[in-house]
Amino acid sequence: MSYRTAGSLRSVTLDDVRGAQKMLSGVARTTAMESSRHLSQLAGAPVHLKCENLQRTGSFKLRGAYVRIAGLLPEERAAGVVAASAGNHAQGVALASSLLGVHATVFMPHGAPLPKISATREYGAEVRLHGQVVDETLAAAQEYAATTGAVFIHPFDHPDVIAGQGTVGLEILEQCPEVRTIVVGIGGGGLAAGIAVAVKALRPEVRIVGVQAEGAAAYPPSLAAGRPVSVLNPTTMADGIKVGRPGPVPFEIVGDLVDEVRTVSEDQLSAALLLCLERAKLVVEPAGASPVAALLAEPGAFPGPVVAVLSGGNVDPVLLQRVLRHGMAAQGRYLAVRLRLTDRPGALATLLGVLSAADANVLDVSHVRTDPRLGLTEVEVELHLETKGPAHCVEVGKALRQAGYTVID
């Protein structure tokens, strides 16, 4: 393999990515490319979804982890590997190590979702729970590496990892040779950097757009400063791209080859996840849905054909439930109303009849009878309704007013 050197950093070339592709043959799946009629109509150009959520272990992380571990010297393999992760990287390292016959120890925070902990163990890794946040877990893994001699497998800041992730870019060019824009989520930057290396070497005119969550967007200030800078207390539901500081190796590549980095809100992430589930019938985690969120936010900004990379599908069921509710609320498909009724038999049934006639689905009802603002014969009722969207919410409100009810603000 040949490498371009920038200072003390070894960068990544197309030859590295092609070598990684050969190494991954029979290990990583060539994931599906699905067209999206709904997103294509919004964007006014063909939009395709690169389904890395259907990759082994549920994300692209297996690619880079396998290439990194496969490249270790025999004595390094004998010492084992160690990683720190709340989910996708943990599972990628666990499976890659198992396939290569290397012992893996993975540190995970105590708050990591139980399904991800179980999956990491089932893939063959020894799991150690440490700390409440990933930074604490990372420090424990690095200390373990220093004391035991195990090789620390970084989730994004290593050329071999980036080369492995870059194989996604080669597949995109094979599956959609006419692509003009590739949209990909960015956390530490390994996936975006790898895709950019592969695609720009072969099709330099293709536009590469990175997407970060607003609450964990370290790349815009880092690119503006010309060096990696930290975001304090990154906050987002998209834990797959919740990284407070870019890695030096991917940062160099992203700065050179990625055309633009955009940010998306939590509401946009929720709406994107909901769209993937309802329209594409794909379970995608919030980080994986970030490219779709960017398309929904400004569909006309991406020359087509567009490929949006769905980087992972390992979403905790509890989080999925919350995110779906959030996404439906953001789309105006939930409506909360408070009303005052005369406290008499049949009053609630009459109200529910009005809502049924308006085709609103009642999710929850609560009564308040002890508020001092209420009259002796009054009761306050709060209802949570599922609707068909903002226009239907207006129709429901109109139906209530026509029936003589006053909605309390």
Side-chain angles (χ1 to χ4, degrees):
M1 293 184 177
S2 61
Y3 299 100
R4 177 170 57 89
T5 301
S8 62
L9 300 179
R10 189 190 74 181
S11 196
V12 185
T13 69
L14 176 62
D15 285 343
D16 301 330
V17 181
R18 284 176 166 160
Q21 188 176 48
K22 292 178 181 178
M23 190 178 295
L24 288 167
S25 177
V27 175
R29 294 171 181 156
T30 299
T31 51
M33 180 84 74
E34 299 287 344
S35 61
S36 172
R37 181 182 302 176
H38 181 72
L39 289 173
S40 297
Q41 290 175 342
L42 287 176
V47 175
H48 306 283
L49 306 176
K50 176 60 172 169
C51 300
E52 281 295 289
N53 59 310
L54 303 179
Q55 183 58 261
R56 297 178 70 179
T57 74
S59 88
F60 70 96
K61 289 288 189 178
L62 171 65
R63 297 173 184 263
Y66 187 91
V67 173
R68 173 75 173 103
I69 297 169
L72 296 178
L73 298 173
E75 56 270 25
E76 291 175 319
R77 291 196 189 193
V81 299
V82 61
S85 169
N88 289 346
H89 181 57
Q91 294 172 68
V93 168
L95 180 56
S97 299
S98 178
L99 293 172
L100 292 164
V102 177
H103 177 74
T105 303
V106 177
F107 284 78
M108 303 182 77
H110 284 285
L114 290 178
K116 294 185 178 182
I117 295 173
S118 298
T120 303
R121 285 186 173 133
E122 289 171 7
Y123 286 128
E126 176 188 348
V127 174
R128 299 192 181 191
L129 300 179
H130 183 91
Q132 300 298 322
V133 296
V134 175
D135 285 345
E136 295 173 352
T137 308
L138 180 64
Q142 291 172 327
E143 181 181 353
Y144 178 89
T147 57
T148 66
V151 179
F152 179 68
I153 307 300
H154 200 285
F156 52 81
D157 198 30
H158 193 279
D160 290 346
V161 172
I162 293 170
Q165 321 304 29
T167 60
V168 176
L170 294 180
E171 290 180 15
I172 289 172
L173 294 183
E174 292 167 1
Q175 294 170 312
C176 185
E178 69 278 14
V179 63
R180 293 181 62 198
T181 305
I182 297 173
V183 191
V184 56
I186 295 186
L191 178 61
I195 289 175
V197 167
V199 172
K200 289 292 189 178
L202 296 170
R203 292 276 308 282
E205 76 280 7
V206 173
R207 187 169 180 79
I208 310 292
V209 179
V211 183
Q212 293 206 287
E214 286 179 353
Y219 263 91
S222 296
L223 292 170
R227 57 181 175 81
V229 298
S230 299
V231 172
L232 298 179
N233 301 317
T235 304
T236 176
M237 72 176 77
D239 57 351
I241 53 174
K242 186 180 176 182
V243 178
R245 182 184 177 89
V249 181
F251 175 77
E252 177 200 9
I253 298 170
V254 170
D256 287 345
L257 300 179
V258 172
D259 296 282
E260 179 186 6
V261 176
R262 291 174 168 250
T263 61
V264 292
S265 68
E266 300 297 285
D267 284 350
Q268 289 163 344
L269 286 168
S270 297
L273 188 150
L274 185 60
L275 183 144
C276 289
L277 187 63
E278 288 189 325
R279 295 301 185 99
K281 306 301 183 283
L282 292 168
V283 177
V284 182
E285 62 190 88
S290 59
V292 175
L295 284 165
L296 292 176
E298 194 175 353
F302 305 92
V306 180
V307 172
V309 181
L310 307 183
S311 58
N314 291 319
V315 58
D316 177 40
V318 176
L319 175 62
L320 178 61
Q321 186 179 39
R322 289 168 47 204
V323 170
L324 289 177
R325 286 202 199 103
H326 188 81
M328 292 180 72
Q331 290 186 351
R333 291 167 59 181
Y334 282 141
L335 176 64
V337 294
R338 288 192 301 135
L339 307 164
R340 286 183 184 173
L341 307 177
T342 301
D343 192 8
R344 59 176 176 77
L348 180 59
T350 301
L351 171 61
L352 295 178
V354 173
L355 294 171
S356 177
D359 205 19
N361 184 32
V362 179
L363 300 175
D364 188 42
V365 179
S366 62
H367 291 76
V368 176
R369 288 187 168 88
T370 57
D371 194 309
R373 295 172 299 178
L374 295 173
L376 184 63
T377 61
E378 286 185 321
V379 60
E380 186 173 287
V381 177
E382 182 172 351
L383 304 105
H384 294 265
L385 311 173
E386 181 184 359
T387 69
K388 300 173 184 177
H392 189 209
C393 289
V394 174
E395 293 176 9
V396 172
K398 182 178 179 181
L400 289 170
R401 289 191 296 272
Q402 289 178 341
Y405 295 101
T406 301
V407 178
I408 303 172
D409 294 329

